[in-house]
Amino acid sequence: MPASMTPTGNLTDAPDNRDDDLVFVAEADQLSAADGMLVRAPLAPVATWRILVVDDDADVHSSTLFALKNVEMQGRALQFLHAYSAHEARALLEREADIAVVLLDVVMERPDAGLQLVRQIREELGMSRVRIILRTGQPGYAPELEAIRGYDINDYRTKSELTRTKLYTAVAAAIRSYQQLRVIDANCAGLEHILAAGTQLMAQHGVRDVAHGVLRQMATLLGQEPAGVLCVRDSGHARPDLLRVVAAAGEHGELEGGELNPQRHQALVAAAQRTLRERRGHDAAGWLSLHFPGKAGRDFAACIPFGRKLDDTERRLLDVFASMVTVGLENVELVTHLNQAAFHDQLTGLPNRTRVVELLDAVLDSAQRGLTTLALIDLDHFAETNDALGHHFGDLLLAAVGKRLRTRMKPDSAAGADASNTLEVARIGGDIFCVLGEAGVVQPAPIQALFREPFHIDGQDVQVSATLGLVRLSEHDGSGADALKDADIALKRAKSHQRAGHFYFSRSMGVEIRERVRMMHALRSGFQRGELFLAYQPQVDLATNGAFGAEALLRWRTEDGRLIGPDRFIPIAEYSGLIVDIGEWVLRQALAELVRLHAAGYRTFTMSVNVSQVQFRHPHFVDMLRRALDDTGAAAEYVELEITESMAMEDPALLVEKLAQVKRTGVSIAIDDFGTGFSSLSHLQRLQVDRLKIDRTFVTEITGSARGSSIAEMVIQLGRNLGLSVIAEGVEDERQAHILRSLGCPLAQGYLFSRPLTPEALVEWLGNQARIEAA
């Protein structure tokens, strides 16, 4: 294993090549043997790690193979299996064994095919060891928060972020985890086999318990009371003759835990040293000894007082017993080591996520539940520090943070003298730590105060801040794993509001998330079933009250006939990414209606379509616009796209270029809700927009507020000075229309003229308007 990828290092911050995508050619020359990241497979055949790639895009399969070809991990090459659908993957998993990692796409034959396959792998196939890395090119179909909370996956990445380096890191971490699970399973199976043999000795846990069992069993075999010692010599110790007593019984019980003194216990020390030196048992000078060879020079010797000669039967029994004990001691030491690895973070020595979940489950089942708080602590901007100063520096910083949390988290006088006994500090993973303990101690202020003092790392002072997500267990109803997820939700909320802040999880937050997920699934299903439709609100010339165009408005009527407001479902569509598909459908529907209106004789009629920020920023938006115009045959000069003012002010350079591309299609641009943001006039001049839309808020206030009238007048004057058209939305009465006319506003829309109409009603309305004008 390359040094930079050992379990003691932090794995969360591989070099960030943000311009790379899943085609890894650009990185081919960036990773050399000197980097310690890629190791070419040896010529001799070796066992392989089996990786299953599940994706309906053949390019993803080939890109993955290219990125990881000739790579060796943990001394083994990689073998790839391929499935192009969830159904095909299920069949392959049923017949193939020892698959270590599944690289799984979310959206395949169905939008949730990947997520359903995760449930089948875990619940139906019972495959708990295989590591699942979820990959998606459409994160909206499986938002990160819901995917992590609802499915048993081991990693979640968008395809755009999986550069060659990051893909290697994710797969290496998954294989390490898979390998550890296999080792634990294999050794537990070996230990269970020994227990099944019926030996009481092997039922003990820990070297000390086994050592006591050895003394008892030796005494039983020889028909005498337990006595004597079992000691160990560590060959790597500075004092090679040191004999440490692991267990003692009978008259020698007081020696347990100490060192054998050659002056006080001359005969005992002589027997033990001879046994360890010659690596075999002896029966002489009133002592019977057995030798138990250990690994790395850790040899054990059991010495009991014995005043007679052994017979052949006893000797043979003791030989078998010694062989069994040797195996038992090795297994116990191995299990102890594995338990340490399974439940503790190797970098900091702190409990890990698995151990925290156990602790949480125990607290939730105890009377301490109502007095305990869980806090997740995320180091702010750790990735930048790691990238700038190196992973070794980052590891030292993580270790220092863990040590400070462990040593300085103390109860105050009001918290109770026993609070420190229940306080647990852990490292959950990456740069996230955890504190679990009495609510009076686990508070945001004292925790964040620990970060005010710089950390002295490798000769440098480093200032670090932290953001906290907290859960009061008295308000939590689920399991320990659920509490950890809730704390993570609170942490994400805190990070989205303000770094170095904190947020407590609340039931309403959980309800809000569940409602959002429910509506997201309902919206996706409703969209597929055709529950979404468009209504068209006419736009009129205030001078003549004649219609010149309409705005396409998205509506949702569920199967039971309920209308759900766009203010509720459009943010969900944007959050989930579904707005990209819905937005394209809206545009095509509106353009098709525009073509029908032109064919019906309304040849100069215009169609205005709202564009979401998520949709507008999609890399293929302009291509989609061109295809929609070509496929529907709509005349681009009669199409207007509306973007919000806040969207117009975000990343101005990118917006200017994107708007220029849109303008080259012949489509015009309007800025919606103008006046609600903080537009820079100089920036506005750079944008190639055609129309400003006065927000309905200022139209509503125009009759009763000098401020509303002033802002409306300002927008109208601004449009006139910049040569831009101006339209007012939300005009509901004639008085508003009169004021707008007097201010020089040329165009308007609102209930005064018409409510949003179905396509058929719009044609009928236009016909009535034409008859009125003719009369």
Side-chain angles (χ1 to χ4, degrees), residues 118 161 165 236 247 255 259 349 369 392 497 544 566 695 764:
V118 172
E161 72 172 307
T165 307
L255 300 178
E259 301 173 7
R369 173 185 189 140
H392 176 67
H497 280 68
T544 63
D695 184 68
E764 181 181 352

Side-chain angles (χ1 to χ4, degrees), residues 125-141:
L125 300 181
M127 302 177 71
S128 59
R129 289 191 310 201
V130 63
R131 305 292 85 189
I132 300 175
I133 300 176
L134 206 61
R135 304 194 293 183
T136 182
Q138 305 178 54
Y141 283 99

Side-chain angles (χ1 to χ4, degrees), residues 514-594:
R514 286 190 291 271
E515 174 63 20
R516 185 188 306 156
V517 173
R518 187 200 65 77
M519 181 170 286
M520 180 182 67
H521 290 303
L523 178 59
R524 181 173 289 118
S525 300
F527 178 46
Q528 294 171 347
R529 289 194 298 264
E531 294 176 2
L532 301 185
F533 65 94
L534 295 185
Y536 301 90
Q537 185 170 43
Q539 297 173 322
V540 303
D541 186 324
L542 281 175
T544 63
N545 279 351
F548 69 89
E551 179 183 2
L553 301 171
L554 181 60
R555 297 291 185 261
W556 179 16
R557 181 179 285 109
T558 61
E559 279 187 314
D560 59 7
R562 291 184 303 115
L563 276 173
I564 298 179
D567 58 326
R568 290 184 61 198
F569 72 82
I570 287 181
I572 298 295
E574 291 179 326
Y575 172 80
S576 66
L578 188 59
I579 193 65
V580 175
D581 292 336
I582 292 177
E584 180 175 359
W585 176 84
V586 168
L587 180 62
R588 287 178 174 272
Q589 290 290 108
L591 295 184
E593 183 61 28
L594 177 64

Side-chain angles (χ1 to χ4, degrees), residues 361-659:
D361 284 333
V363 172
L364 289 168
D365 288 337
S366 73
Q368 296 299 312
R369 173 185 189 140
L371 306 173
T372 305
T373 294
L374 166 68
L376 291 187
I377 304 166
D378 181 75
L379 305 186
D380 297 330
H381 309 297
F382 176 77
E384 290 85 341
T385 301
N386 216 25
D387 291 342
L389 300 177
H391 288 277
H392 176 67
F393 189 94
D395 288 348
L396 293 176
L397 176 57
L398 291 173
V401 170
K403 180 179 180 181
R404 183 175 294 183
L405 289 172
R406 185 178 65 250
T407 58
R408 297 198 189 179
M409 284 293 295
K410 301 293 183 183
D412 56 28
S413 57
D418 295 333
S420 60
N421 295 332
T422 60
L423 187 71
E424 289 285 351
V425 176
R427 182 187 175 205
I428 298 301
D431 60 339
I432 300 180
F433 291 83
C434 162
V435 177
L436 175 67
E438 201 274 331
V441 179
V442 184
Q443 293 282 340
I447 294 176
Q448 288 175 328
L450 295 177
F451 292 89
R452 292 175 188 155
E453 178 186 340
F455 292 87
H456 190 70
I457 307 295
D458 206 14
Q460 301 183 51
D461 283 340
V462 181
Q463 188 70 57
V464 179
S465 62
T467 303
L468 276 60
L470 303 99
V471 173
R472 298 180 180 94
L473 296 191
S474 60
E475 302 174 4
H476 177 74
D477 297 326
S479 66
D482 291 334
L484 207 55
K485 291 176 181 178
D486 290 345
D488 192 54
I489 291 172
L491 178 61
K492 284 182 168 59
R493 181 69 63 90
K495 290 167 67 175
S496 68
H497 280 68
Q498 180 184 2
R499 292 281 183 165
H502 71 276
F503 217 93
Y504 276 93
F505 182 83
S506 65
R507 285 194 178 95
S508 62
M509 195 185 304
V511 170
E512 173 190 334
I513 291 171
R514 286 190 291 271
E515 174 63 20
R516 185 188 306 156
V517 173
R518 187 200 65 77
M519 181 170 286
M520 180 182 67
H521 290 303
L523 178 59
R524 181 173 289 118
S525 300
F527 178 46
Q528 294 171 347
R529 289 194 298 264
E531 294 176 2
L532 301 185
F533 65 94
L534 295 185
Y536 301 90
Q537 185 170 43
Q539 297 173 322
V540 303
D541 186 324
L542 281 175
T544 63
N545 279 351
F548 69 89
E551 179 183 2
L553 301 171
L554 181 60
R555 297 291 185 261
W556 179 16
R557 181 179 285 109
T558 61
E559 279 187 314
D560 59 7
R562 291 184 303 115
L563 276 173
I564 298 179
D567 58 326
R568 290 184 61 198
F569 72 82
I570 287 181
I572 298 295
E574 291 179 326
Y575 172 80
S576 66
L578 188 59
I579 193 65
V580 175
D581 292 336
I582 292 177
E584 180 175 359
W585 176 84
V586 168
L587 180 62
R588 287 178 174 272
Q589 290 290 108
L591 295 184
E593 183 61 28
L594 177 64
V595 171
R596 286 190 289 270
L597 289 169
H598 283 185
Y602 305 101
R603 300 188 181 280
T604 61
F605 200 82
T606 64
M607 185 64 68
S608 182
V609 182
N610 290 281
V611 178
S612 156
Q613 182 172 5
V614 175
Q615 181 188 7
F616 188 75
R617 292 188 177 277
H618 192 278
H620 301 303
F621 173 75
V622 178
D623 294 334
M624 181 276 294
L625 174 61
R626 291 195 183 99
R627 286 195 305 271
L629 290 169
D630 292 340
D631 293 348
T632 60
E637 61 268 28
Y638 295 105
V639 178
E640 178 182 78
L641 300 183
E642 293 188 14
I643 64 173
T644 63
E645 184 180 6
S646 59
M647 189 193 310
M649 294 312 300
E650 187 172 325
D651 201 348
L654 178 63
L655 184 72
V656 168
E657 174 59 28
K658 199 68 166 281
L659 288 179

Side-chain angles (χ1 to χ4, degrees), residues 74-90:
Q74 307 286 342
R76 299 186 188 182
L78 305 182
Q79 177 189 359
F80 290 90
L81 306 174
H82 298 274
Y84 295 85
S85 69
H87 178 75
E88 183 181 352
R90 166 69 184 263

